[in-house]
């Protein structure tokens, strides 16, 4: 084949062979260099990842140090018992408030979860556990609040309010919990006292309402201008008998001038102003009132000054009872006794004459 080629063709053939060899050489060299570069890149990438991880760990460590420092400062600055639980290491750190509030020295034993649980009131422990477990098992919940009784070192129970926040990892699993116990014993005591006071007031109100709603007497409380502050149900029927739909509220804020004849209203007003001025009550005296139909009735009244806890007169209160029928009956009995006495006298006179 080569003998049949002229010098020009042989020269072209040799040139093609050299070019092909050069191409293969360049490709091989490129492949070699590319492999070497890839290895260098891999090494550099791994070094970069290592450096980044070390930097991240350093940042996290620094953040943890700063967080613990801030936690320590916060624990010293507040009167609450601050605690920090690390689940991975199963450690609980208590601030100084733990000793200040509850009297326990901070030791590995007193800082354990089991020690804390042993001091929670037996009646409260199950409820507290339920609240904390439900909060930790729900990834969407990042805090809890509960109240319970906690036994102090002096064997007295303190009412405490616990607030906690849950720190979770990327999988939503709790890794740390930070919380605080606040002594609310005084607040609870005030709540109990207030509850007892409210119950006592409810009883007093029940007794007063029973009196005001059922006694067949006119019972009332008036302000300094002799306007009604509160009245008994009987007052409604007494002053507003013409209105079957009337209620106690229809009398509140009004005075005797709105219902009685002007003369009697003025007499009552003057009496009440005098009572406020002198602080001297008027006990069981007889008043004559004119009814809406023009007839008269007699009432036995008692009026007293209304004095607040500061000793200031703020109005009057009193009660009146219709004694018209009683007085009429007394009059009839008196007249009957007179008739009987007259008859008896006539009989005695007649007997004496007959004897003579």
């Amino acid at each position: 084949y080569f003998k049949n080629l002229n010098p020009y063709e042989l020269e072209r053939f040799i040139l093609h062979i050299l070019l092909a060899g050069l191409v293969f050489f360049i490709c091989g060299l490129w492949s070699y260099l590319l492999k070497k570069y890839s290895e260098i890149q891999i090494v550099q990438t791994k070094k970069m990842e290592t450096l980044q991880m070390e930097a991240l760990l350093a940042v996290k460590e620094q953040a943890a140090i700063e967080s613990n420092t801030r936690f320590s400062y916060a624990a010293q600055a507040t009167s609450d018992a601050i605690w920090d639980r690390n689940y991975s290491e199963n450690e609980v750190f208590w601030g100084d408030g733990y000793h200040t509030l509850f009297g326990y020295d901070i030791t590995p034993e007193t800082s354990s979860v089991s020690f804390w649980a042993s001091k929670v009131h037996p009646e409260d422990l199950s409820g507290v556990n339920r609240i904390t477990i439900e909060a930790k098992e729900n990834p969407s919940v990042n805090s809890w609040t509960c109240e319970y009784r906690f036994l102090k070192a002096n064997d007295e129970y303190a009412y405490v309010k616990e607030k906690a926040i849950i720190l979770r990892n990327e999988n939503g699993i709790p890794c740390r919990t930070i919380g605080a116990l606040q002594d609310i014993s005084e607040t609870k005591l005030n709540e109990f006292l207030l509850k007892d006071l409210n119950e006592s007031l409810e009883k007093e109100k029940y007794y007063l309402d029973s009196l005001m709603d059922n006694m067949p007497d006119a019972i009332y409380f008036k302000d300094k201008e002799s306007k009604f502050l509160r009245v008994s149900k009987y007052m409604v029927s007494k002053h507003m008998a013409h209105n079957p739909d009337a209620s106690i509220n229809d009398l509140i804020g009004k005075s005797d001038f709105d219902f009685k004849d002007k003369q009697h209203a003025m007499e009552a007003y003057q009496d009440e102003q005098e009572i406020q001025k002198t602080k001297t009550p008027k006990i069981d005296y007889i008043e004559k009132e004119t009814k809406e139909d023009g007839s008269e009735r007699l009432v036995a009244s008692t009026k007293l000054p209304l004095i607040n806890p500061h000793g200031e007169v703020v109005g009057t209160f009193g009660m009146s009872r219709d004694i018209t029928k009683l007085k009429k009956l007394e009059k009839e009995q008196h007249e009957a006794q007179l008739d009987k006495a007259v008859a008896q006298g006539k009989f005695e006179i007649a007997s004496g004459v007959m004897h003579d």
Side-chain angles (χ1 to χ4, degrees):
Y1 173 76
F2 293 106
K3 292 179 179 181
N4 295 329
L5 296 176
N6 57 42
Y8 175 75
E9 291 176 341
L10 181 60
E11 195 174 295
R12 286 181 59 193
F13 178 77
I14 292 172
L15 183 60
H16 285 164
I17 293 297
L18 292 173
L19 289 174
L22 182 61
V23 169
F24 280 112
F25 175 76
I26 292 173
C27 289
L29 181 61
W30 176 256
S31 177
Y32 172 77
L33 293 175
L34 184 62
K35 181 180 180 182
K36 281 293 183 180
Y37 179 76
S38 297
E39 290 176 353
I40 294 173
Q41 284 291 100
I42 292 173
V43 172
Q44 290 179 342
T45 301
K46 288 184 177 179
K47 287 184 178 180
M48 184 61 70
E49 289 178 351
T50 301
L51 291 174
Q52 289 176 344
M53 183 61 68
E54 290 176 353
L56 181 61
L57 290 175
V59 170
K60 287 186 176 180
E61 183 177 353
Q62 182 62 29
I65 293 174
E66 293 177 356
S67 176
N68 290 334
T69 302
R70 288 194 296 268
F71 179 85
S72 178
Y73 287 151
Q76 296 175 24
T78 181
S79 60
D80 297 344
I82 295 181
W83 54 268
D84 183 351
R85 182 178 181 183
N86 188 323
Y87 291 101
S88 61
E89 300 177 3
N90 196 27
E91 293 180 347
V92 180
F93 171 80
W94 283 95
D96 294 338
Y98 186 56
H99 173 74
T100 304
L101 291 180
F102 309 121
Y104 295 113
D105 292 330
I106 301 176
T107 66
E109 178 187 357
T110 60
S111 299
S112 65
V113 176
S114 59
F115 183 85
W116 164 84
S118 69
K119 302 305 176 183
V120 177
H121 196 286
E123 295 178 359
D124 301 335
L125 183 59
S126 61
V128 174
N129 286 335
R130 176 180 54 80
I131 292 173
T132 56
I133 291 174
E134 289 179 355
K136 288 186 288 187
E137 291 182 349
N138 188 343
S140 64
V141 176
N142 294 315
S143 65
W144 77 69
T145 301
C146 58
E147 295 181 5
Y148 53 89
R149 288 163 287 181
F150 190 76
L151 186 64
K152 299 193 293 185
N154 62 1
D155 290 331
E156 295 180 358
Y157 276 101
Y159 282 90
V160 298
K161 184 173 186 178
E162 180 177 274
K163 293 182 178 180
I165 58 173
I166 306 169
L167 304 180
R168 302 180 183 272
N169 61 21
E170 60 276 7
N171 298 319
I173 299 174
C175 58
R176 187 178 176 187
T177 305
I178 301 174
L181 293 183
Q182 180 183 11
D183 190 341
I184 58 171
S185 300
E186 185 175 351
T187 301
K188 278 293 183 181
L189 176 61
N190 291 335
E191 288 180 1
F192 294 145
L193 292 176
L194 183 61
K195 181 181 178 182
D196 291 341
L197 179 60
N198 286 336
E199 291 177 353
S200 178
L201 290 175
E202 285 293 329
K203 288 183 180 180
E204 295 297 328
K205 183 178 182 301
Y206 167 74
Y207 298 147
L208 180 60
D209 287 345
S210 297
L211 177 71
M212 300 292 281
D213 293 344
N214 298 290
M215 286 292 288
D217 298 322
I219 306 173
Y220 53 85
F221 296 83
K222 295 182 178 181
D223 63 15
K224 298 187 72 172
E225 301 300 323
S226 293
K227 293 182 179 180
F228 294 115
L229 297 171
R230 181 168 183 182
V231 298
S232 61
K233 280 189 175 180
Y234 174 80
M235 294 278 287
V236 179
S237 60
K238 176 182 178 181
H239 292 297
M240 305 191 72
H242 60 283
N243 184 0
D245 297 325
S247 66
I248 289 175
N249 291 331
D250 294 319
L251 273 71
I252 303 303
K254 297 181 179 179
S255 69
D256 291 328
F257 290 100
D258 296 304
F259 305 105
K260 297 180 179 180
D261 62 278
K262 302 303 180 184
Q263 180 179 351
H264 179 75
M266 180 55 70
E267 292 174 356
Y269 177 81
Q270 291 174 346
D271 279 345
E272 290 156 5
Q273 294 303 308
E274 183 66 19
I275 290 172
Q276 293 182 67
K277 182 179 179 180
T278 62
K279 295 186 179 181
T280 303
K282 294 186 68 173
I283 307 295
D284 200 23
Y285 68 99
I286 306 299
E287 287 185 296
K288 183 182 292 187
E289 296 180 349
T290 302
K291 300 168 65 175
E292 293 181 354
D293 60 4
S295 60
E296 292 184 343
R297 61 184 167 202
L298 299 175
V299 295
S301 297
T302 293
K303 296 181 180 181
L304 304 95
L306 184 61
I307 302 174
N308 67 16
H310 303 292
E312 302 167 337
V313 178
V314 294
T316 58
F317 68 102
M319 180 178 69
S320 62
R321 171 171 293 185
D322 189 339
I323 59 172
T324 304
K325 293 181 179 180
L326 178 62
K327 287 298 182 180
K328 182 179 179 181
L329 179 61
E330 288 179 352
K331 182 179 179 181
E332 291 175 350
Q333 290 177 341
H334 181 67
E335 291 176 348
Q337 289 176 352
L338 288 177
D339 291 342
K340 182 178 180 181
V342 170
Q344 182 67 30
K346 290 180 178 179
F347 175 76
E348 290 178 352
I349 292 173
S351 297
V353 170
M354 291 178 62
H355 179 70
D356 292 340

